[in-house]
Amino acid sequence: MTFEAVKQQEQQNIMPVYSRFQVALVSGKGATATDVNGKQYIDFTSGIGVNSLGFCDPEWSAAVAKQAGTLQHISNLYYSPVQTAAAENLCRLSGMSKVFFANSGAEANECAVKLARKYGTDRLGPGRTEIVTLKNSFHGRTVTTLAATGQNEFHEYFAPLTTGFSYAEPNLRSVKDAVTEKTCAVMLELIQGEGGVVPMDKAFVEELRAFCTQRKILMIVDEVQTGVGRTGTFYSYRNYGVVPDVVTSAKGLASGLPLGACLCAEPFADVLGPGTHGSTFGGNPIACAGALVVMKRLAEPEFLKDVREKGNYFAEKLAEMHGVSSVRGMGLMLGAKPAHGSVGEIAVKCAERGLLILTAKDVLRLLPPLVISKDEADKGLAILREVLDTYEP
């Protein structure tokens, strides 16, 4: 099909909820994608942080194809060896005790909300069901995770949202002011991705951990975008030296297949029992087969070190660009603020020249595959530099 045929088909049949770039991709390898016309693109997006092993990793592709030809779905009425293996690996790598498998980050966060509210009711007393989240946060697009999201623009048109959420600034004083006798948990991203790649201050995170422990309320860390090696450790809370009570995960976990996870520490392992939660597709064998390959690779001693080194390389090269005023982030989750102009227009011009890049608030957001090669990185950075050098707002 031609690009125009694909575009027309999309416009005729798909709800117009996406502002798409003028690109129709049909294949890819590593961090390089190819469109319907044979044009190649360097990918700094990994499908919004999803393709952790890049396009069509051979080991991942083989494992997924084998599972698809063996057993594609059985539901959670029966035991699944590939699911239990994925759970064991994820608990070991995260340091958590138990996991619930879902299909997305929003679903993982929904599970965390339910766990926190049941914990509050069961162990703290009736009415202990409210959750404090941070302003500028993003936790998903379901009605409940929209309510958890601390950005008013996401709330417009969808009232009434789920009640029981309040919002604080990312400092301990503001969180303390927001916590009441009804609070059961505080939920946060350690780097606010959709909020503009904004890292939390380490001292604040440490203080919050101590405060939540003191008040016997849960500390929930949303690692949907920051997790699975993205920031140079398996989960970003390792970079902050804290251990959450509940962790949510998705995106890069199965490197392109829909898999979410809500993990909890041992004291909370039995909060949710039979009948309190569930998912038809959650922990699907094919998705779990993909996740096992991802976790195997990330467990290799040099893999995360390599991610950290690549992240430093990207950050250094971005900081050297005259068209970039500042760089923030961690590992391969970076935000580059242009010296002038619209990040949206810059991203469009990058796509025209063969670079796929994201935006978030006032920054160009870079989430390249964790396996991106130096050659691919240099090609993409050269395109970005050229666009920034020639861009006129």
Side-chain angles (χ1 to χ4, degrees), residues 108-150:
N109 285 334
E110 289 266 359
C111 179
V113 169
K114 289 179 71 174
L115 189 155
R117 288 180 169 177
K118 190 169 186 298
Y119 162 81
T121 301
D122 289 350
R123 303 189 187 181
L124 303 179
R128 294 293 296 269
T129 57
E130 295 185 358
I131 297 173
V132 176
T133 67
L134 299 186
K135 295 179 181 178
N136 198 49
S137 62
F138 181 83
H139 297 293
R141 293 183 181 274
T142 65
V143 172
T144 294
T145 55
L146 275 180
T149 293

Side-chain angles (χ1 to χ4, degrees), residues 39-177:
K39 179 180 176 179
Q40 292 193 325
Y41 301 79
I42 301 298
D43 179 26
F44 280 4
T45 76
S46 59
I48 317 184
V50 170
N51 297 330
S52 47
L53 300 183
F55 295 113
C56 305
D57 175 84
E59 185 181 10
W60 178 90
S61 296
V64 169
K66 180 179 178 181
Q67 186 60 49
T70 304
L71 189 70
Q72 80 272 29
H73 178 74
I74 57 173
S75 88
N76 285 299
L77 295 174
Y78 312 101
Y79 292 97
S80 166
V82 66
Q83 184 190 89
T84 57
E88 180 182 48
N89 278 269
L90 188 54
C91 288
R92 174 175 53 83
L93 290 169
S94 66
M96 293 287 109
S97 176
K98 295 286 177 66
V99 59
F100 172 84
F101 284 122
N103 307 287
S104 66
E107 288 185 23
N109 285 334
E110 289 266 359
C111 179
V113 169
K114 289 179 71 174
L115 189 155
R117 288 180 169 177
K118 190 169 186 298
Y119 162 81
T121 301
D122 289 350
R123 303 189 187 181
L124 303 179
R128 294 293 296 269
T129 57
E130 295 185 358
I131 297 173
V132 176
T133 67
L134 299 186
K135 295 179 181 178
N136 198 49
S137 62
F138 181 83
H139 297 293
R141 293 183 181 274
T142 65
V143 172
T144 294
T145 55
L146 275 180
T149 293
Q151 300 187 59
N152 288 333
E153 57 264 38
F154 287 102
H155 299 170
E156 191 177 3
Y157 306 119
F158 305 116
L161 299 175
T162 305
T163 59
F165 294 94
S166 59
Y167 315 105
E169 298 289 347
N171 63 73
L172 192 61
R173 179 181 295 276
S174 182
V175 171
K176 285 183 174 180
D177 289 343

Side-chain angles (χ1 to χ4, degrees), residues 80 82-84 86 101 254 257 259 283-293 295:
S80 166
V82 66
Q83 184 190 89
T84 57
F101 284 122
L257 295 174
L259 185 67
N284 173 273
I286 299 174
C288 285
L292 280 170
V293 175
M295 289 186 279

Side-chain angles (χ1 to χ4, degrees), residues 182-249:
K182 295 182 179 181
T183 303
C184 64
V186 177
M187 183 176 187
L188 74 158
E189 304 153 280
L190 296 177
I191 303 176
Q192 294 178 331
E194 300 296 330
V197 193
V198 181
M200 294 295 104
D201 180 73
K202 190 172 188 291
F204 162 62
V205 175
E206 292 172 343
E207 292 169 348
L208 179 63
R209 173 65 281 183
F211 173 72
C212 288
T213 301
Q214 177 189 18
R215 295 294 295 268
K216 297 182 179 179
I217 58 178
L218 299 184
M219 180 182 184
I220 304 172
V221 174
D222 178 340
E223 294 262 13
V224 169
Q225 191 167 137
T226 56
V228 196
R230 176 57 54 187
T231 65
T233 56
F234 190 79
Y235 283 128
S236 65
Y237 58 79
R238 303 281 197 191
N239 294 318
Y240 285 83
V242 300
V243 178
D245 300 309
V246 179
V247 182
T248 60
S249 186

Side-chain angles (χ1 to χ4, degrees), residues 251-300:
K251 288 196 180 286
L253 186 54
S255 195
L257 295 174
L259 185 67
C262 177
L263 299 111
C264 64
E266 194 279 330
F268 317 102
D270 63 349
V271 171
L272 294 176
T276 59
H277 199 47
S279 171
T280 298
F281 290 101
N284 173 273
I286 299 174
C288 285
L292 280 170
V293 175
V294 172
M295 289 186 279
K296 175 188 172 186
R297 297 280 279 282
L298 265 67
E300 294 172 1

